[in-house]
Amino acid sequence: MIRIAIPNKGRLHNPTVDLLKEAGLPVLEGGTRKLFAKTNDPGITILFARASDIPEYVQNGAADVGVTGLDLIDETGARVEMLLDMDFGRTNLVLAVPEDSQYNTPQSLEGKKIATEFPNITSRYFKNLNINVTIIKVSGACELTPHVGIADAIVDISSSGTTLATNHLKMIDKVFTSSVYLIANKKTSENNPKIEQISTSIESVLRAKGKRYLMMNVPESCLEAVKQVLPGLAGPTVMKVEASHSILAVHAVIDADLIFSTVNKLKAVGAKDILVVPIERLMP
């Protein structure tokens, strides 16, 4: 039995559940109040846990596989196998000070107090810059600490900067860039086909995002011109059309944001009956 630990709530919960469903592992009868849930694979179960606990759960074997932020993995120092960047939940840990503060660089905070939920990452950051500060660990409402005299600056998560602006804070440096990763227990993941299947299934969904499958009929005389237009992953696939000696079927995978310009160029060089199809999975 393989146990996958996923965030039980927060900004990572729904995207993780949605991605597992797209990968063919829907969470069955799950909810934020439950500890475990089944999937449609009898050999795979879901463990709901706090995102901050998942790195250590996976390291210690309470879960075989986990989904959590790179910032939390780095903060805990958990020794886990990094399987896959899941390409969502991208965020930054930023160093911020009050808008009216005289502090404008990390160096200006020499000897000052820094509040954060990430004391290890923050300590390494200032140590690398050879700046002496006092780290104050907080468990929430970090952005309030400079305004109540607890700290001079904070290191906190910022995705869009809205929370900083709302709390009259300004960023003076990026400390750490994070996204969500699929991780595994180092011992369990060794030569484990089930874990490899989980990783491959999720990766195939991620590879398909932003891609489209193009199919078209092309007169044989226009083939070379069509090939020059198509920016496919490994060049187009060309096949004979059964009912015609002069028409070829051409298939290719391209980026979705190139569809508009590419289709018009294909039509201009002679392609016909162009079909654009979404892709659910693209196996590595």
Side-chain angles (χ1 to χ4, degrees):
M1 179 67 70
I2 297 297
R3 184 176 292 168
I4 305 175
I6 70 171
N8 60 352
K9 58 183 178 180
R11 64 187 181 88
L12 304 185
H13 174 78
N14 287 337
T16 300
V17 171
D18 292 343
L19 186 53
L20 287 174
K21 182 178 180 180
E22 292 179 68
L25 286 172
V27 178
L28 306 178
E29 301 176 358
T32 56
R33 293 181 179 275
K34 291 189 175 183
L35 182 59
F36 296 103
K38 296 179 180 179
T39 69
N40 60 354
D41 186 317
I44 301 174
T45 61
I46 301 296
L47 166 65
F48 295 107
R50 293 194 309 170
S52 58
D53 292 334
I54 290 175
E56 292 185 4
Y57 279 18
V58 173
Q59 174 184 267
N60 298 332
D64 305 291
V65 178
V67 177
T68 192
L70 181 62
D71 51 347
L72 299 171
I73 300 167
D74 196 74
E75 175 65 24
T76 59
R79 296 177 59 82
V80 295
E81 193 70 30
M82 307 292 288
L83 296 180
L84 184 65
D85 184 344
M86 298 176 71
D87 200 33
F88 71 88
R90 296 195 178 279
T91 189
N92 294 306
L93 284 181
V94 302
L95 175 61
V97 297
E99 290 174 346
D100 58 359
S101 168
Q102 73 272 28
Y103 309 122
N104 293 306
T105 65
Q107 288 73 19
S108 64
L109 291 167
E110 174 74 32
K112 303 303 179 181
K113 295 179 290 185
I114 316 297
T116 183
E117 293 185 59
F118 299 87
N120 293 325
I121 292 176
T122 302
S123 179
R124 286 194 295 270
Y125 165 79
F126 281 104
K127 184 177 181 180
N128 289 338
L129 293 176
N130 198 29
I131 300 170
N132 295 311
V133 297
T134 299
I135 307 295
I136 300 173
K137 187 179 187 309
V138 296
S139 57
C142 186
E143 64 275 2
L144 298 180
T145 57
H147 300 301
V148 295
I150 294 175
D152 301 290
I154 67 169
V155 170
D156 201 12
I157 290 174
S158 177
S159 298
S160 63
T162 302
T163 302
L164 293 181
T166 299
N167 289 280
H168 304 288
L169 298 168
K170 62 181 179 181
M171 183 187 79
I172 60 174
D173 200 12
K174 285 185 181 179
V175 174
F176 191 89
T177 298
S178 179
S179 62
V180 173
Y181 269 74
L182 182 71
I183 60 176
N185 178 274
K186 283 185 172 291
K187 291 183 178 179
T188 308
S189 63
E190 292 179 2
N191 301 315
N192 190 310
K194 183 68 77 172
I195 291 179
E196 185 176 349
Q197 289 168 16
I198 293 169
S199 179
T200 299
S201 294
I202 293 173
E203 184 179 4
S204 70
V205 172
L206 296 175
R207 283 168 56 89
K209 289 185 182 297
K211 302 290 184 184
R212 295 295 183 269
Y213 193 63
L214 276 182
M215 296 182 283
M216 70 206 77
N217 290 328
V218 177
E220 195 165 0
S221 60
C222 301
L223 179 60
E224 290 306 314
V226 167
K227 284 184 177 180
Q228 293 299 314
V229 171
L230 286 173
L233 290 179
T237 300
V238 180
M239 299 168 284
K240 290 282 187 180
V241 175
E242 187 71 25
S244 173
H245 296 294
S246 60
I247 299 295
L248 302 170
V250 178
H251 297 188
V253 176
I254 73 169
D255 291 335
D257 57 6
L258 297 177
I259 286 293
F260 180 79
S261 60
T262 300
V263 166
N264 287 307
K265 290 176 183 177
L266 288 170
K267 291 172 67 177
V269 298
K272 302 177 180 178
D273 307 321
I274 301 171
L275 183 63
V276 181
V277 182
I279 304 173
E280 289 189 3
R281 295 194 191 184
L282 189 60
M283 303 304 288

